[in-house]
Amino acid sequence: MAERLAGEGALVAVHYAHDEAAARQAVESIAAAGGRAFPVRAEFGTPGDVDALFEGLQAGLTEHSGAAELDILVNNAGIFTGDAEPEKVTPELFDRMMAVNARAPFFVTQRALPLLRDGGRIVNVSSGLTRLANPRETVYAMSKAAVEMITLHLARHLGPRQITVNTVAPGVTDTGAEFLRIPQVRRTLADETAFGRIAEPGDVADVVAFLASAEARWITGAFVDVTGGSLLG
C-alpha cells in the first residue's frame, strides 16, 4: 500500500511497531522508484501509542513537506494472534486484540482529523472474516467489525467536509506469513477464492489507491470485498 500510494505521488509515512529494518527497506524501495517516504515508530496497544505516532508523523511531515497536513489516512495496522476456541480466549488475549485492532484506529483517526484536509480520504482495513462464521477467530472478527463501525459512522460525520471513509476487506493475502509456506495449507486457502489463488499485496493495494483517489469522491461508508470471491459461498 505504501509503495502504491507513493507511486501516485503521495508522501508516505511508513508506520511500524518493531521491525525498523523492514520499514526502512520499504522507504528505500519507494525512494528508489522516485517516491517519497519516511518511517514512524509506534507500538499500538501500549501507553502513549497514539502520541508517539503523531509526534513522529508531524515531525516527518513538516520536515519533508513543510506542513503537518494529511490528505490520506490508511488504518491498516493490526495483529492476528492465531486461532483460539471461544472457550480458551483469555481476557489478556481479548484486550490485546481490541487495543491494537479497534482502539488504536479509532484514536488514530480522532487525532488525524484536525490535520486532515477537507476532501481527504480515510481507508480502514477490515477482513472478510467479519462476513464468515469461524468460531476460532471470533475475537479477531469482532475487532475488525469494530473498524467497520468507525467507517460507517464517521462517513456520515465527515461528509460535510467532503472526506470519504471506506472499508476494504481483504481475504487471505500473501504477506509472508509462515503458514502460507505449507503447500497444502496454501492450496486449501487458494481453493476458497473464485480465482484459485491467494491474493498478492498489490491486489489489495490497488483498491486502497482507488479509494484514496479523486475518482472515488462519490463513495463513502462502503464495505469493499477484496477477498477474490471468498465470500461468494
Side-chain angles (χ1 to χ4, degrees), residues 77-135:
I79 58 170
F80 180 74
T81 58
D83 292 347
E85 296 176 1
E87 294 86 351
K88 296 181 180 179
V89 173
T90 65
E92 292 77 16
L93 172 64
F94 184 95
D95 290 347
R96 172 69 175 158
M97 194 86 75
M98 290 296 176
V100 176
N101 293 3
R103 184 181 187 276
F106 177 83
F107 285 103
V108 167
T109 302
Q110 182 191 71
R111 284 286 294 274
L113 291 182
L115 308 180
L116 196 63
R117 294 186 178 99
D118 289 356
R121 302 284 184 263
I122 299 174
V123 182
N124 295 318
V125 179
S126 180
S127 168
L129 287 170
T130 65
R131 298 297 193 274
L132 294 171
N134 188 332

Side-chain angles (χ1 to χ4, degrees), residues 10-99:
L11 166 63
V12 180
V14 179
H15 164 241
Y16 70 99
H18 301 289
D19 198 341
E20 180 179 2
R24 293 200 176 279
Q25 182 179 14
V27 169
E28 291 169 3
S29 176
I30 289 169
R36 299 182 301 152
F38 60 92
V40 178
R41 183 184 183 279
E43 183 180 356
F44 290 161
T46 63
D49 51 0
V50 177
D51 291 334
L53 175 69
F54 276 84
E55 180 180 348
L57 174 63
Q58 290 179 261
L61 289 173
T62 301
E63 177 185 349
H64 290 86
S65 69
E69 295 180 324
L70 288 172
D71 296 292
I72 301 164
L73 170 64
V74 179
N75 283 310
N76 180 53
I79 58 170
F80 180 74
T81 58
D83 292 347
E85 296 176 1
E87 294 86 351
K88 296 181 180 179
V89 173
T90 65
E92 292 77 16
L93 172 64
F94 184 95
D95 290 347
R96 172 69 175 158
M97 194 86 75
M98 290 296 176

Side-chain angles (χ1 to χ4, degrees), residues 172-193 196-201:
V172 178
T173 305
D174 192 352
T175 57
E178 288 292 332
F179 74 92
L180 290 177
R181 298 180 183 179
I182 304 171
Q184 184 55 46
V185 170
R186 191 178 183 91
R187 184 69 261 160
T188 298
L189 292 172
D191 287 343
E192 292 179 359
T193 74
R197 68 173 179 85
I198 291 172
E200 296 296 327

